Amino acid sequence: MAPIVTTAEISRPPDEVFAYATDPAQFSEWQKGVVDGHMDGPADGTQVPAVGANCVTTRRIGGANRPSTSELVDIDPPRTWSVRGTDGPIRAAVDVLVEPVTDSRSRLTISVDFTGYGIGKVLVPLMVRPEARKEMPGNLAALKQRMEAG
């Protein structure tokens, strides 16, 4: 199946949009179900994560907090960022693209796809993809609202 792709134009410069959209510590502010997130490695804010770093995101699913780990497979700030899930029955592939529209406006495109393992093979088409398809526009709308509010 084709990935789920959602795009929004945001009245912020590309570097700000990229920094916010790719910071797992901010995911809970705009992604439904996310309760925590971080990059494994230095947390002093001065070092850009590198390919091979792990992104750990905890989501509230079925009444329980469930962490998942993804590996950073591409990063080219302030333009592209990609992670691939490495554990669990449902593994996401997420690609972020930030394009300048003007110096103070950006186009953010997030593409999400899923691969199921074990029970995940059943859950991905029946529950995960339909839910993601419903959630993604709201997630990007929440990100846009937060960024444009300052």
Side-chain angles (χ1 to χ4, degrees):
M1 296 196 103
I4 299 161
V5 180
T6 310
T7 300
E9 285 200 11
I10 300 167
S11 295
R12 292 302 236 199
D15 59 332
E16 290 181 23
V17 172
F18 181 87
Y20 186 73
T22 63
D23 180 359
Q26 307 299 319
F27 289 176
S28 64
E29 295 179 2
W30 60 274
Q31 288 186 33
K32 184 178 178 186
V34 173
V35 295
D36 190 36
H38 67 274
M39 293 298 295
D40 277 351
D44 61 8
T46 60
Q47 184 176 350
V48 174
V51 168
N54 286 326
C55 174
V56 180
T57 306
T58 303
R59 294 181 182 276
R60 187 86 176 158
I61 301 171
N65 289 348
R66 302 189 191 279
S68 65
T69 302
S70 297
E71 181 181 357
L72 185 59
V73 296
D74 174 60
I75 184 166
D76 184 16
R79 188 158 167 77
T80 61
W81 186 86
S82 299
V83 293
R84 301 292 180 262
T86 60
D87 62 5
I90 300 164
R91 300 180 194 179
V94 181
D95 298 309
V96 174
L97 173 64
V98 180
E99 300 168 287
V101 175
T102 66
D103 288 346
S104 61
R105 191 164 179 80
S106 305
R107 180 177 301 108
L108 171 65
T109 302
I110 300 179
S111 171
V112 181
D113 205 357
F114 302 94
T115 303
Y117 297 85
I119 188 69
K121 287 182 181 182
V122 174
L123 295 176
V124 165
L126 292 179
M127 297 175 66
V128 176
R129 288 185 65 79
E131 188 63 25
R133 192 171 281 109
K134 284 192 296 187
E135 283 182 12
M136 286 299 296
N139 287 347
L140 258 65
L143 182 148
K144 175 182 171 73
Q145 180 182 18
R146 291 192 70 85
M147 289 212 72
E148 291 179 350

